Amino acid sequence: MAFDYSKTSKTANRLVKNFGQALTLTHVVAGTYVPGAGITNTTTTQYGYGAIVNWDSRQIDGSLILATDKKLLLSPLNRAGTALTAPVLEDKVTDAAGKVY
């Protein structure tokens, strides 16, 4: 029997939306050099909901997780209610106050 993740995704989205904040996720792919034009990057922006929280002190090891690091709890759905593309390393997250992580 297959598990229906759509109901769980909607519940997670509702909780994060109610207790988190609106976030903007930005993904930049470096372009190639074109003589006369320079380098043109491709930027993809997504809008979703999430919570940016501190790590529990027991999880901070001083090498992989630092005391200044933050944890992102991200809804699986974007603001339109469809699946959000998972962020990857080096993506930028902007919170509702405009702070970029």
Side-chain angles (χ1 to χ4, degrees):
M1 179 173 148
F3 185 78
D4 181 13
Y5 286 98
S6 64
K7 187 174 179 181
T8 305
S9 293
K10 290 176 185 174
T11 300
N13 184 59
R14 180 177 46 79
L15 290 169
V16 172
K17 184 177 177 180
N18 288 341
F19 297 105
Q21 61 181 312
L23 299 173
T24 303
L25 289 88
T26 307
H27 177 73
V28 178
V29 176
T32 56
Y33 177 75
V34 177
I39 297 175
T40 305
N41 295 334
T42 303
T43 302
T44 306
T45 305
Q46 299 184 91
Y47 304 96
Y49 297 100
I52 299 169
V53 298
N54 292 320
W55 286 91
D56 184 277
S57 61
R58 293 172 294 179
Q59 297 169 311
I60 298 170
D61 65 3
S63 93
L64 292 176
I65 301 173
L66 306 176
T68 56
D69 289 345
K70 300 290 184 185
K71 185 186 325 185
L72 173 63
L73 305 173
L74 187 63
S75 169
L77 304 177
N78 62 26
R79 290 189 210 166
T82 58
L84 188 73
T85 302
V88 295
L89 193 62
E90 300 300 323
D91 282 359
K92 305 289 185 227
V93 176
T94 306
D95 69 13
K99 184 171 181 180
V100 178
Y101 296 89

